[in-house]
Amino acid sequence: MEKRELVIVGGGPAGLTAAIYGRRAGLDVLVLEKGMAGGQITITAEIENWPGIPMISGEELARAFREHAEKFSPEFREAEVKKVSMEAGKKVVATDKGDIEAEAVIIATGASFRKLGCPGEAEFTGRGVSYCAVCDGAFFEDQVIAVVGGGNTAVEEADYLTRFASKVYIIHRRDSFRADRAVVEKAMANPKIEPVWDSVVERIKGTDMVEGIVLKNVKTGETSELPVAGVFVFVGMNPNSDFVKGLVETKGGGWIVTNEMLETSVEGVFAAGDVRDKFLRQVVTAAGDGAIAAMAAYSYISEQLHLQKVLFEPERVVSLFYSSIDPEQIKLANEVEKKHAKKVLLIDGYKNKRMCEKLGIVDLPQVVVLNKGSLVKSKAINDAQAIEGLL
């Protein structure tokens, strides 16, 4: 099986930033991407909130990310990741082009546009129903179209679509937009935009192409028809995390839970960008996540290599494995360190679960005696005195 130090799944802003930081730290980095690098920003018309650049297209920014990452020479591989799993304490990334064992994995697969789920949506996708204004806006020159949603993406894309369409309705289930004030003010100043409040799309109608939508007022229950040639859907996102389902802790439909170092519930597996549970999903926060995750992965890998050296290479090692979240075990570790300095190697078994698995350590605290990596003896202890007979 192929072995790599750091495998990054996803080539958007988070993944590419992680690649830059990982390579600058001297790691062997492999980036796996099933499609075009750049992620969702490649289909964003204009980005106005990337610090230092007042205005840039998503495609241009994605290209700049990729070119910057390529400068540090990580390996890019087009492959679809089917599953990430733990096998005998090892992290295995299964792809459609073979399995890879990784010292650390960063999940940076982002999120995908959520569907409306109404009749006609699937049938007319590609025939008037779209999830990408940049991709399909030009097909609706001088036509009337609808945008569904009320967040930043929906309102920004509605404004962009007025470059082509003669009129753009924004269908929103509430009586005010959730988008930022500046975004809303700009859109509402556009004479081609008309909001339709308190309404949801019940059905998308047409023959060969979209011809209209059936709306339902959520307050009155009344239905009405609105003739449109196209429907652009921007009603939120779903995390692209199915391939780690059951492996890492998630919440709210699959968003990956991480700590401040972007570690998941599985040791050595990190998550960055829109795929994780977070307050704000923007290109700038994704890039920040990528940097943090890469440096956290570097720290993790370095620690694992250090442990490999100090635990498995010497002829004789006596080591105490303890939990850094148990006050009594922390107290025990401090006592052992004071009494047997330089004689006993202290290992945080809570942080190094993989090492515990390798040595067959189930309960903490426990002292192990190793000889060139082979387990000679192990013993559960409760006080510093109990370690005497093993020295």
Side-chain angles (χ1 to χ4, degrees), residues 31-53:
V31 181
L32 301 175
E33 176 59 66
K34 70 176 182 178
M36 186 192 330
Q40 293 289 353
I41 64 172
T42 59
I43 59 172
T44 302
E46 297 174 347
I47 294 176
E48 298 180 307
N49 52 7
W50 180 253
I53 302 178

mmCIF file with all atom_site columns, all heavy atoms in Angstrom, residues 31-53:
data_model
loop_
_atom_site.group_PDB
_atom_site.id
_atom_site.type_symbol
_atom_site.label_atom_id
_atom_site.label_alt_id
_atom_site.label_comp_id
_atom_site.label_asym_id
_atom_site.label_entity_id
_atom_site.label_seq_id
_atom_site.pdbx_PDB_ins_code
_atom_site.Cartn_x
_atom_site.Cartn_y
_atom_site.Cartn_z
_atom_site.occupancy
_atom_site.B_iso_or_equiv
_atom_site.pdbx_formal_charge
_atom_site.auth_seq_id
_atom_site.auth_comp_id
_atom_site.auth_asym_id
_atom_site.auth_atom_id
_atom_site.pdbx_PDB_model_num
ATOM 1   N N   . VAL A 1 31 ? -2.352  15.891 -2.495  1.00 0.00 ? 31 VAL A N   1
ATOM 2   C CA  . VAL A 1 31 ? -3.685  16.513 -2.561  1.00 0.00 ? 31 VAL A CA  1
ATOM 3   C C   . VAL A 1 31 ? -4.557  15.688 -3.502  1.00 0.00 ? 31 VAL A C   1
ATOM 4   O O   . VAL A 1 31 ? -4.207  15.494 -4.669  1.00 0.00 ? 31 VAL A O   1
ATOM 5   C CB  . VAL A 1 31 ? -3.610  17.971 -3.067  1.00 0.00 ? 31 VAL A CB  1
ATOM 6   C CG1 . VAL A 1 31 ? -5.008  18.593 -3.092  1.00 0.00 ? 31 VAL A CG1 1
ATOM 7   C CG2 . VAL A 1 31 ? -2.678  18.801 -2.190  1.00 0.00 ? 31 VAL A CG2 1
ATOM 8   N N   . LEU A 1 32 ? -5.677  15.209 -2.989  1.00 0.00 ? 32 LEU A N   1
ATOM 9   C CA  . LEU A 1 32 ? -6.616  14.434 -3.790  1.00 0.00 ? 32 LEU A CA  1
ATOM 10  C C   . LEU A 1 32 ? -7.827  15.297 -4.114  1.00 0.00 ? 32 LEU A C   1
ATOM 11  O O   . LEU A 1 32 ? -8.461  15.855 -3.218  1.00 0.00 ? 32 LEU A O   1
ATOM 12  C CB  . LEU A 1 32 ? -7.067  13.183 -3.016  1.00 0.00 ? 32 LEU A CB  1
ATOM 13  C CG  . LEU A 1 32 ? -5.962  12.212 -2.592  1.00 0.00 ? 32 LEU A CG  1
ATOM 14  C CD1 . LEU A 1 32 ? -6.545  11.096 -1.730  1.00 0.00 ? 32 LEU A CD1 1
ATOM 15  C CD2 . LEU A 1 32 ? -5.272  11.616 -3.818  1.00 0.00 ? 32 LEU A CD2 1
ATOM 16  N N   . GLU A 1 33 ? -8.138  15.414 -5.385  1.00 0.00 ? 33 GLU A N   1
ATOM 17  C CA  . GLU A 1 33 ? -9.272  16.242 -5.828  1.00 0.00 ? 33 GLU A CA  1
ATOM 18  C C   . GLU A 1 33 ? -9.982  15.512 -6.956  1.00 0.00 ? 33 GLU A C   1
ATOM 19  O O   . GLU A 1 33 ? -9.342  15.105 -7.926  1.00 0.00 ? 33 GLU A O   1
ATOM 20  C CB  . GLU A 1 33 ? -8.773  17.610 -6.283  1.00 0.00 ? 33 GLU A CB  1
ATOM 21  C CG  . GLU A 1 33 ? -9.840  18.524 -6.860  1.00 0.00 ? 33 GLU A CG  1
ATOM 22  C CD  . GLU A 1 33 ? -10.976 18.808 -5.890  1.00 0.00 ? 33 GLU A CD  1
ATOM 23  O OE1 . GLU A 1 33 ? -10.728 19.458 -4.872  1.00 0.00 ? 33 GLU A OE1 1
ATOM 24  O OE2 . GLU A 1 33 ? -12.112 18.387 -6.168  1.00 0.00 ? 33 GLU A OE2 1
ATOM 25  N N   . LYS A 1 34 ? -11.292 15.343 -6.828  1.00 0.00 ? 34 LYS A N   1
ATOM 26  C CA  . LYS A 1 34 ? -12.006 14.581 -7.863  1.00 0.00 ? 34 LYS A CA  1
ATOM 27  C C   . LYS A 1 34 ? -12.409 15.428 -9.062  1.00 0.00 ? 34 LYS A C   1
ATOM 28  O O   . LYS A 1 34 ? -12.781 14.910 -10.104 1.00 0.00 ? 34 LYS A O   1
ATOM 29  C CB  . LYS A 1 34 ? -13.237 13.897 -7.278  1.00 0.00 ? 34 LYS A CB  1
ATOM 30  C CG  . LYS A 1 34 ? -14.363 14.817 -6.877  1.00 0.00 ? 34 LYS A CG  1
ATOM 31  C CD  . LYS A 1 34 ? -15.564 14.001 -6.414  1.00 0.00 ? 34 LYS A CD  1
ATOM 32  C CE  . LYS A 1 34 ? -16.731 14.893 -6.052  1.00 0.00 ? 34 LYS A CE  1
ATOM 33  N NZ  . LYS A 1 34 ? -17.917 14.114 -5.636  1.00 0.00 ? 34 LYS A NZ  1
ATOM 34  N N   . GLY A 1 35 ? -12.339 16.753 -8.911  1.00 0.00 ? 35 GLY A N   1
ATOM 35  C CA  . GLY A 1 35 ? -12.700 17.631 -10.022 1.00 0.00 ? 35 GLY A CA  1
ATOM 36  C C   . GLY A 1 35 ? -11.691 18.740 -10.170 1.00 0.00 ? 35 GLY A C   1
ATOM 37  O O   . GLY A 1 35 ? -10.531 18.610 -9.802  1.00 0.00 ? 35 GLY A O   1
ATOM 38  N N   . MET A 1 36 ? -12.152 19.874 -10.688 1.00 0.00 ? 36 MET A N   1
ATOM 39  C CA  . MET A 1 36 ? -11.282 21.022 -10.883 1.00 0.00 ? 36 MET A CA  1
ATOM 40  C C   . MET A 1 36 ? -10.887 21.622 -9.534  1.00 0.00 ? 36 MET A C   1
ATOM 41  O O   . MET A 1 36 ? -11.727 21.806 -8.663  1.00 0.00 ? 36 MET A O   1
ATOM 42  C CB  . MET A 1 36 ? -12.014 22.084 -11.713 1.00 0.00 ? 36 MET A CB  1
ATOM 43  C CG  . MET A 1 36 ? -11.112 23.262 -12.095 1.00 0.00 ? 36 MET A CG  1
ATOM 44  S SD  . MET A 1 36 ? -12.018 24.691 -12.787 1.00 0.00 ? 36 MET A SD  1
ATOM 45  C CE  . MET A 1 36 ? -13.432 23.940 -13.570 1.00 0.00 ? 36 MET A CE  1
ATOM 46  N N   . ALA A 1 37 ? -9.597  21.892 -9.356  1.00 0.00 ? 37 ALA A N   1
ATOM 47  C CA  . ALA A 1 37 ? -9.134  22.517 -8.123  1.00 0.00 ? 37 ALA A CA  1
ATOM 48  C C   . ALA A 1 37 ? -9.721  23.914 -7.992  1.00 0.00 ? 37 ALA A C   1
ATOM 49  O O   . ALA A 1 37 ? -9.926  24.614 -8.977  1.00 0.00 ? 37 ALA A O   1
ATOM 50  C CB  . ALA A 1 37 ? -7.609  22.582 -8.098  1.00 0.00 ? 37 ALA A CB  1
ATOM 51  N N   . GLY A 1 38 ? -9.979  24.319 -6.766  1.00 0.00 ? 38 GLY A N   1
ATOM 52  C CA  . GLY A 1 38 ? -10.531 25.648 -6.517  1.00 0.00 ? 38 GLY A CA  1
ATOM 53  C C   . GLY A 1 38 ? -11.823 25.618 -5.749  1.00 0.00 ? 38 GLY A C   1
ATOM 54  O O   . GLY A 1 38 ? -12.200 26.582 -5.093  1.00 0.00 ? 38 GLY A O   1
ATOM 55  N N   . GLY A 1 39 ? -12.558 24.495 -5.833  1.00 0.00 ? 39 GLY A N   1
ATOM 56  C CA  . GLY A 1 39 ? -13.793 24.360 -5.080  1.00 0.00 ? 39 GLY A CA  1
ATOM 57  C C   . GLY A 1 39 ? -14.903 25.276 -5.577  1.00 0.00 ? 39 GLY A C   1
ATOM 58  O O   . GLY A 1 39 ? -14.948 25.672 -6.744  1.00 0.00 ? 39 GLY A O   1
ATOM 59  N N   . GLN A 1 40 ? -15.806 25.638 -4.663  1.00 0.00 ? 40 GLN A N   1
ATOM 60  C CA  . GLN A 1 40 ? -16.995 26.416 -5.027  1.00 0.00 ? 40 GLN A CA  1
ATOM 61  C C   . GLN A 1 40 ? -16.668 27.800 -5.586  1.00 0.00 ? 40 GLN A C   1
ATOM 62  O O   . GLN A 1 40 ? -17.462 28.368 -6.340  1.00 0.00 ? 40 GLN A O   1
ATOM 63  C CB  . GLN A 1 40 ? -17.900 26.575 -3.797  1.00 0.00 ? 40 GLN A CB  1
ATOM 64  C CG  . GLN A 1 40 ? -18.530 25.276 -3.315  1.00 0.00 ? 40 GLN A CG  1
ATOM 65  C CD  . GLN A 1 40 ? -19.613 24.769 -4.260  1.00 0.00 ? 40 GLN A CD  1
ATOM 66  O OE1 . GLN A 1 40 ? -19.988 25.439 -5.216  1.00 0.00 ? 40 GLN A OE1 1
ATOM 67  N NE2 . GLN A 1 40 ? -20.096 23.568 -3.999  1.00 0.00 ? 40 GLN A NE2 1
ATOM 68  N N   . ILE A 1 41 ? -15.514 28.352 -5.217  1.00 0.00 ? 41 ILE A N   1
ATOM 69  C CA  . ILE A 1 41 ? -15.234 29.713 -5.689  1.00 0.00 ? 41 ILE A CA  1
ATOM 70  C C   . ILE A 1 41 ? -15.061 29.786 -7.201  1.00 0.00 ? 41 ILE A C   1
ATOM 71  O O   . ILE A 1 41 ? -15.184 30.855 -7.793  1.00 0.00 ? 41 ILE A O   1
ATOM 72  C CB  . ILE A 1 41 ? -14.005 30.338 -4.992  1.00 0.00 ? 41 ILE A CB  1
ATOM 73  C CG1 . ILE A 1 41 ? -12.725 29.570 -5.308  1.00 0.00 ? 41 ILE A CG1 1
ATOM 74  C CG2 . ILE A 1 41 ? -14.229 30.459 -3.504  1.00 0.00 ? 41 ILE A CG2 1
ATOM 75  C CD1 . ILE A 1 41 ? -11.466 30.273 -4.807  1.00 0.00 ? 41 ILE A CD1 1
ATOM 76  N N   . THR A 1 42 ? -14.803 28.650 -7.850  1.00 0.00 ? 42 THR A N   1
ATOM 77  C CA  . THR A 1 42 ? -14.620 28.665 -9.309  1.00 0.00 ? 42 THR A CA  1
ATOM 78  C C   . THR A 1 42 ? -15.903 29.031 -10.035 1.00 0.00 ? 42 THR A C   1
ATOM 79  O O   . THR A 1 42 ? -15.870 29.442 -11.193 1.00 0.00 ? 42 THR A O   1
ATOM 80  C CB  . THR A 1 42 ? -14.115 27.306 -9.826  1.00 0.00 ? 42 THR A CB  1
ATOM 81  O OG1 . THR A 1 42 ? -15.061 26.290 -9.464  1.00 0.00 ? 42 THR A OG1 1
ATOM 82  C CG2 . THR A 1 42 ? -12.756 26.967 -9.234  1.00 0.00 ? 42 THR A CG2 1
ATOM 83  N N   . ILE A 1 43 ? -17.051 28.877 -9.365  1.00 0.00 ? 43 ILE A N   1
ATOM 84  C CA  . ILE A 1 43 ? -18.325 29.219 -10.011 1.00 0.00 ? 43 ILE A CA  1
ATOM 85  C C   . ILE A 1 43 ? -18.931 30.477 -9.392  1.00 0.00 ? 43 ILE A C   1
ATOM 86  O O   . ILE A 1 43 ? -20.130 30.728 -9.518  1.00 0.00 ? 43 ILE A O   1
ATOM 87  C CB  . ILE A 1 43 ? -19.325 28.057 -9.952  1.00 0.00 ? 43 ILE A CB  1
ATOM 88  C CG1 . ILE A 1 43 ? -19.616 27.643 -8.500  1.00 0.00 ? 43 ILE A CG1 1
ATOM 89  C CG2 . ILE A 1 43 ? -18.809 26.869 -10.746 1.00 0.00 ? 43 ILE A CG2 1
ATOM 90  C CD1 . ILE A 1 43 ? -20.742 26.632 -8.363  1.00 0.00 ? 43 ILE A CD1 1
ATOM 91  N N   . THR A 1 44 ? -18.110 31.263 -8.707  1.00 0.00 ? 44 THR A N   1
ATOM 92  C CA  . THR A 1 44 ? -18.560 32.530 -8.130  1.00 0.00 ? 44 THR A CA  1
ATOM 93  C C   . THR A 1 44 ? -18.111 33.670 -9.033  1.00 0.00 ? 44 THR A C   1
ATOM 94  O O   . THR A 1 44 ? -16.928 33.768 -9.376  1.00 0.00 ? 44 THR A O   1
ATOM 95  C CB  . THR A 1 44 ? -17.982 32.725 -6.719  1.00 0.00 ? 44 THR A CB  1
ATOM 96  O OG1 . THR A 1 44 ? -18.390 31.621 -5.901  1.00 0.00 ? 44 THR A OG1 1
ATOM 97  C CG2 . THR A 1 44 ? -18.485 34.015 -6.098  1.00 0.00 ? 44 THR A CG2 1
ATOM 98  N N   . ALA A 1 45 ? -19.050 34.512 -9.426  1.00 0.00 ? 45 ALA A N   1
ATOM 99  C CA  . ALA A 1 45 ? -18.745 35.571 -10.395 1.00 0.00 ? 45 ALA A CA  1
ATOM 100 C C   . ALA A 1 45 ? -17.751 36.573 -9.828  1.00 0.00 ? 45 ALA A C   1
ATOM 101 O O   . ALA A 1 45 ? -16.694 36.832 -10.431 1.00 0.00 ? 45 ALA A O   1
ATOM 102 C CB  . ALA A 1 45 ? -20.023 36.278 -10.814 1.00 0.00 ? 45 ALA A CB  1
ATOM 103 N N   . GLU A 1 46 ? -18.075 37.143 -8.684  1.00 0.00 ? 46 GLU A N   1
ATOM 104 C CA  . GLU A 1 46 ? -17.229 38.193 -8.115  1.00 0.00 ? 46 GLU A CA  1
ATOM 105 C C   . GLU A 1 46 ? -17.020 37.956 -6.631  1.00 0.00 ? 46 GLU A C   1
ATOM 106 O O   . GLU A 1 46 ? -17.966 37.625 -5.911  1.00 0.00 ? 46 GLU A O   1
ATOM 107 C CB  . GLU A 1 46 ? -17.877 39.575 -8.330  1.00 0.00 ? 46 GLU A CB  1
ATOM 108 C CG  . GLU A 1 46 ? -18.021 39.965 -9.791  1.00 0.00 ? 46 GLU A CG  1
ATOM 109 C CD  . GLU A 1 46 ? -18.788 41.266 -9.959  1.00 0.00 ? 46 GLU A CD  1
ATOM 110 O OE1 . GLU A 1 46 ? -19.415 41.717 -8.967  1.00 0.00 ? 46 GLU A OE1 1
ATOM 111 O OE2 . GLU A 1 46 ? -18.786 41.812 -11.066 1.00 0.00 ? 46 GLU A OE2 1
ATOM 112 N N   . ILE A 1 47 ? -15.794 38.149 -6.187  1.00 0.00 ? 47 ILE A N   1
ATOM 113 C CA  . ILE A 1 47 ? -15.476 38.060 -4.769  1.00 0.00 ? 47 ILE A CA  1
ATOM 114 C C   . ILE A 1 47 ? -14.973 39.430 -4.329  1.00 0.00 ? 47 ILE A C   1
ATOM 115 O O   . ILE A 1 47 ? -13.975 39.927 -4.844  1.00 0.00 ? 47 ILE A O   1
ATOM 116 C CB  . ILE A 1 47 ? -14.419 36.966 -4.503  1.00 0.00 ? 47 ILE A CB  1
ATOM 117 C CG1 . ILE A 1 47 ? -15.021 35.592 -4.824  1.00 0.00 ? 47 ILE A CG1 1
ATOM 118 C CG2 . ILE A 1 47 ? -13.924 37.015 -3.056  1.00 0.00 ? 47 ILE A CG2 1
ATOM 119 C CD1 . ILE A 1 47 ? -14.059 34.442 -4.691  1.00 0.00 ? 47 ILE A CD1 1
ATOM 120 N N   . GLU A 1 48 ? -15.698 40.022 -3.376  1.00 0.00 ? 48 GLU A N   1
ATOM 121 C CA  . GLU A 1 48 ? -15.381 41.380 -2.934  1.00 0.00 ? 48 GLU A CA  1
ATOM 122 C C   . GLU A 1 48 ? -14.832 41.423 -1.505  1.00 0.00 ? 48 GLU A C   1
ATOM 123 O O   . GLU A 1 48 ? -14.572 42.499 -0.978  1.00 0.00 ? 48 GLU A O   1
ATOM 124 C CB  . GLU A 1 48 ? -16.627 42.256 -3.000  1.00 0.00 ? 48 GLU A CB  1
ATOM 125 C CG  . GLU A 1 48 ? -17.191 42.422 -4.397  1.00 0.00 ? 48 GLU A CG  1
ATOM 126 C CD  . GLU A 1 48 ? -18.429 43.303 -4.398  1.00 0.00 ? 48 GLU A CD  1
ATOM 127 O OE1 . GLU A 1 48 ? -19.364 43.021 -3.627  1.00 0.00 ? 48 GLU A OE1 1
ATOM 128 O OE2 . GLU A 1 48 ? -18.445 44.280 -5.160  1.00 0.00 ? 48 GLU A OE2 1
ATOM 129 N N   . ASN A 1 49 ? -14.667 40.247 -0.878  1.00 0.00 ? 49 ASN A N   1
ATOM 130 C CA  . ASN A 1 49 ? -14.257 40.248 0.523   1.00 0.00 ? 49 ASN A CA  1
ATOM 131 C C   . ASN A 1 49 ? -12.969 39.454 0.775   1.00 0.00 ? 49 ASN A C   1
ATOM 132 O O   . ASN A 1 49 ? -12.720 39.007 1.881   1.00 0.00 ? 49 ASN A O   1
ATOM 133 C CB  . ASN A 1 49 ? -15.380 39.715 1.424   1.00 0.00 ? 49 ASN A CB  1
ATOM 134 C CG  . ASN A 1 49 ? -15.913 38.364 0.951   1.00 0.00 ? 49 ASN A CG  1
ATOM 135 O OD1 . ASN A 1 49 ? -15.368 37.768 0.041   1.00 0.00 ? 49 ASN A OD1 1
ATOM 136 N ND2 . ASN A 1 49 ? -16.980 37.914 1.571   1.00 0.00 ? 49 ASN A ND2 1
ATOM 137 N N   . TRP A 1 50 ? -12.168 39.262 -0.277  1.00 0.00 ? 50 TRP A N   1
ATOM 138 C CA  . TRP A 1 50 ? -10.847 38.669 -0.075  1.00 0.00 ? 50 TRP A CA  1
ATOM 139 C C   . TRP A 1 50 ? -9.893  39.812 0.274   1.00 0.00 ? 50 TRP A C   1
ATOM 140 O O   . TRP A 1 50 ? -9.695  40.711 -0.541  1.00 0.00 ? 50 TRP A O   1
ATOM 141 C CB  . TRP A 1 50 ? -10.381 37.927 -1.329  1.00 0.00 ? 50 TRP A CB  1
ATOM 142 C CG  . TRP A 1 50 ? -9.024  37.297 -1.143  1.00 0.00 ? 50 TRP A CG  1
ATOM 143 C CD1 . TRP A 1 50 ? -7.847  37.708 -1.679  1.00 0.00 ? 50 TRP A CD1 1
ATOM 144 C CD2 . TRP A 1 50 ? -8.718  36.158 -0.343  1.00 0.00 ? 50 TRP A CD2 1
ATOM 145 N NE1 . TRP A 1 50 ? -6.817  36.908 -1.270  1.00 0.00 ? 50 TRP A NE1 1
ATOM 146 C CE2 . TRP A 1 50 ? -7.320  35.940 -0.442  1.00 0.00 ? 50 TRP A CE2 1
ATOM 147 C CE3 . TRP A 1 50 ? -9.482  35.303 0.462   1.00 0.00 ? 50 TRP A CE3 1
ATOM 148 C CZ2 . TRP A 1 50 ? -6.670  34.905 0.228   1.00 0.00 ? 50 TRP A CZ2 1
ATOM 149 C CZ3 . TRP A 1 50 ? -8.840  34.270 1.120   1.00 0.00 ? 50 TRP A CZ3 1
ATOM 150 C CH2 . TRP A 1 50 ? -7.466  34.074 1.002   1.00 0.00 ? 50 TRP A CH2 1
ATOM 151 N N   . PRO A 1 51 ? -9.335  39.807 1.501   1.00 0.00 ? 51 PRO A N   1
ATOM 152 C CA  . PRO A 1 51 ? -8.534  40.951 1.960   1.00 0.00 ? 51 PRO A CA  1
ATOM 153 C C   . PRO A 1 51 ? -7.404  41.319 0.998   1.00 0.00 ? 51 PRO A C   1
ATOM 154 O O   . PRO A 1 51 ? -6.670  40.451 0.512   1.00 0.00 ? 51 PRO A O   1
ATOM 155 C CB  . PRO A 1 51 ? -7.961  40.451 3.293   1.00 0.00 ? 51 PRO A CB  1
ATOM 156 C CG  . PRO A 1 51 ? -8.956  39.446 3.768   1.00 0.00 ? 51 PRO A CG  1
ATOM 157 C CD  . PRO A 1 51 ? -9.430  38.749 2.531   1.00 0.00 ? 51 PRO A CD  1
ATOM 158 N N   . GLY A 1 52 ? -7.314  42.608 0.702   1.00 0.00 ? 52 GLY A N   1
ATOM 159 C CA  . GLY A 1 52 ? -6.240  43.113 -0.147  1.00 0.00 ? 52 GLY A CA  1
ATOM 160 C C   . GLY A 1 52 ? -6.604  43.215 -1.609  1.00 0.00 ? 52 GLY A C   1
ATOM 161 O O   . GLY A 1 52 ? -5.900  43.861 -2.384  1.00 0.00 ? 52 GLY A O   1
ATOM 162 N N   . ILE A 1 53 ? -7.721  42.570 -2.000  1.00 0.00 ? 53 ILE A N   1
ATOM 163 C CA  . ILE A 1 53 ? -8.166  42.629 -3.399  1.00 0.00 ? 53 ILE A CA  1
ATOM 164 C C   . ILE A 1 53 ? -9.636  43.044 -3.412  1.00 0.00 ? 53 ILE A C   1
ATOM 165 O O   . ILE A 1 53 ? -10.511 42.237 -3.091  1.00 0.00 ? 53 ILE A O   1
ATOM 166 C CB  . ILE A 1 53 ? -7.987  41.275 -4.109  1.00 0.00 ? 53 ILE A CB  1
ATOM 167 C CG1 . ILE A 1 53 ? -6.524  40.824 -4.052  1.00 0.00 ? 53 ILE A CG1 1
ATOM 168 C CG2 . ILE A 1 53 ? -8.452  41.377 -5.564  1.00 0.00 ? 53 ILE A CG2 1
ATOM 169 C CD1 . ILE A 1 53 ? -6.270  39.473 -4.681  1.00 0.00 ? 53 ILE A CD1 1
#
